[in-house]
Amino acid sequence: MSATVPIIPDVTASFQRIIFIPFDHLNVDRGALKDANPKTDLVLFVQSKRMCAGRTWHPEKLFFLISSARHFAALLEERGFTVWFLEAENTPEGITQARGHWGALPVVCAEPSSRRQSAQLAELGVQFVANDFFVTPRELFHTWAKSQKTFVMENFYRAQRVRLNILVTDGAPEEGRWNFDADNRLPPPKEYTWPERLEHHRDETDNDVAATLGYRPTTTWATTREGALRQLQHFLDYHLEGFGPLEDAVTLDEWSLHHSLLSPYLNNGLITADEVVAAAVEKYQAGEAPLQSVEAFVRQIIGWREYINGMYWFLGSDYRELNGLDAKRPLLPLFGDSSTTKMNCVKQVVSHVEKRAWTHHIPRLMILSNLALITGTHPQQFLDWMRERFIDATEWVMVPNIIGMGVHADGGRLMTKPYAAGGAYINRMTQFCKGCQYDPKKRVGDDACPFTTLYWDFLDRHKDEFVKNHRMARQVHGLDRLTDLPELRVRAKEVLAGLDEGRI
Ligand code: SF4
C-alpha cells in the first residue's frame, strides 16, 4: 500500500462489517482482528489530524505510532484484507466517512485503551469486543481492587503469579522468593562494558512517514512486529541476565542500561505481554538467565503494567483531574528545553527525552516527577507533558503513574506516601552530581542543590497534612532539626523563581 496517499480501496466486495483498528491495537491475533474474515470485513484505520496536530507530540512518538500503523495496515493487505487507511479531521469523522462510503455497516473495535476514546466510539454506536491486549481482564482486576483496603501492587503481583502459573510450583514461588527487589538496587557499576544496542534501520514506509512529518527519526525504535521481535531477542540474548541487579541504576555512560526497550511495542500491540513473559521464563528454565533478573522482568510486565492499567479503569473518570496538593505552578521551561536549566541531572534526563522520547523508570520518577512534585507543578500540565514527550506514554499508563505515583495529586489513593527526594538521595543513586554546579549536600546558599532545598521546603509547605501520615511523620519531624529553616524558606523562593525563569 502507499504510505502517503491513502485511497479508497478499489473493490466491489460487499462487506458485512467494518473493523476499526486504533493505532494501539496492532496485532492480528488480538481484539477485533482475531475473528476477522478478509472476505466479509473491511479494515479501517483513521489517522486523525486533530490527534496529530492538537498537541505538541514528540515527533519521534508520532513517527513511531503512524509508521507502525502503516506497516501493520500493509501486513493486513498482504494477508488478504481490504484496508482503508484514511486521514480525517478526527476519528469520528473518519468512521462516518467510512460508513458513508461502504453503507451503514456495523463497526467493530476492541474496547479502546482510554476512557476518552471509549466514550467517543460508544457515542458512534461502535460495537466493542473484549480488550485482550492485557493478561488481566478488566472485570477481574476490578474484583481484586474492590476486595483490597489499600492497593498494594505486590499483593496483586503475587496473585497474578499464582493465577497465571508463572514461576510458581504448587502456589509457592520459584526458589522460595517472590521478590528480589532488595538485591536489585545496585548503584551504577564502574568500568562496565555495556552490550551493543540494537539499531532499527528505516525502510521506504518509514522514510515516507518521516518526510511527511518533516522529521529525521532515530534508529532506536522498530515500526514492525519483526523489529519488535528482534528487540525482544536482543534483550533476551544480551540484557536479561544483567537486567535485575541494575534495573534501578542511572549512569552517565549508558542511557538504556539493561532495559528491554519493549514498552512501546507492548503498548501499541506489536508484541504481547504473554509472549515476552514466556520468552523470559524459558531463558530461566533453560538455565540461561538468573531468577533475580527474570523475576524482575516478569514483575514489570504481569505486575506493574497490568496493575497500572487495572487501576486506570478502576479509579474512575474524575481521577485524571485530581489536584490534592493544590499545585498551581505552570510547567517549568526546563521541561520544554533542557538548555534552560543548570541542574545537571535534569538537563541530562530531559535531553535524553528530547533525543529519543524515552528514559527509564527511575529518571522518570526520581528526577522528572520528583521535580514536578516538590516545585508544586500543576499535575495536569505535567501529565500532559509526559503523555506528549514519551514514546510509550499512553493515557492508561500515565494517568495513574503521574497523578498517583509521580505527584501524589490523588491524596494517597494509589500510594500512601509521596515520592519526594532531595539531592543526597539523587547523588547516591546516580552519577549526575559530580558534573553539577550545585552541591547536593547544601540546602541554602547560591550553590545549594535545588532538589535539596525544595525537598525540605515541600515538607515544610505540607507539614500539617503529612504529619498525620505515619509513613511521612519521620520525614516531617526532620524539619525540627533544621536550624536554618528561615534561610531555607528564602532560598526556596529564589530557586522557584529561578526555575520559573529558566535561570537555575
Ligand atoms: Fe541534580 Fe542537585 Fe545533583 Fe545537581 S547537585 S545533579 S541539581 S541532584
Side-chain angles (χ1 to χ4, degrees), residues 343-346 423 426-427 432-433 436-440 449-451:
M343 299 163 76
N344 193 39
C345 52
V346 179
I426 296 172
N427 189 28
F432 292 130
C433 298
C436 186
Q437 71 176 62
Y438 299 110
D439 183 342
C449 167
F451 273 106

Side-chain angles (χ1 to χ4, degrees), residues 1 7 58 60 72 76 82 97 103 116 161 167 218 228 281 288 303-304 318 327 388 397 502:
M1 75 179 287
I7 51 169
H58 197 306
E60 185 88 1
F72 185 66
L76 292 178
T82 301
Q97 269 192 51
R116 188 169 168 275
R161 289 264 298 272
L167 300 175
T218 70
V281 169
E288 294 170 4
W304 275 112
D318 299 342
E388 290 163 12
V397 170

Side-chain angles (χ1 to χ4, degrees), residues 60 70 99 160 312 448 470:
E60 185 88 1
R70 298 231 171 196
R99 278 176 166 154
Q160 290 280 82
Y312 170 75
H470 74 281

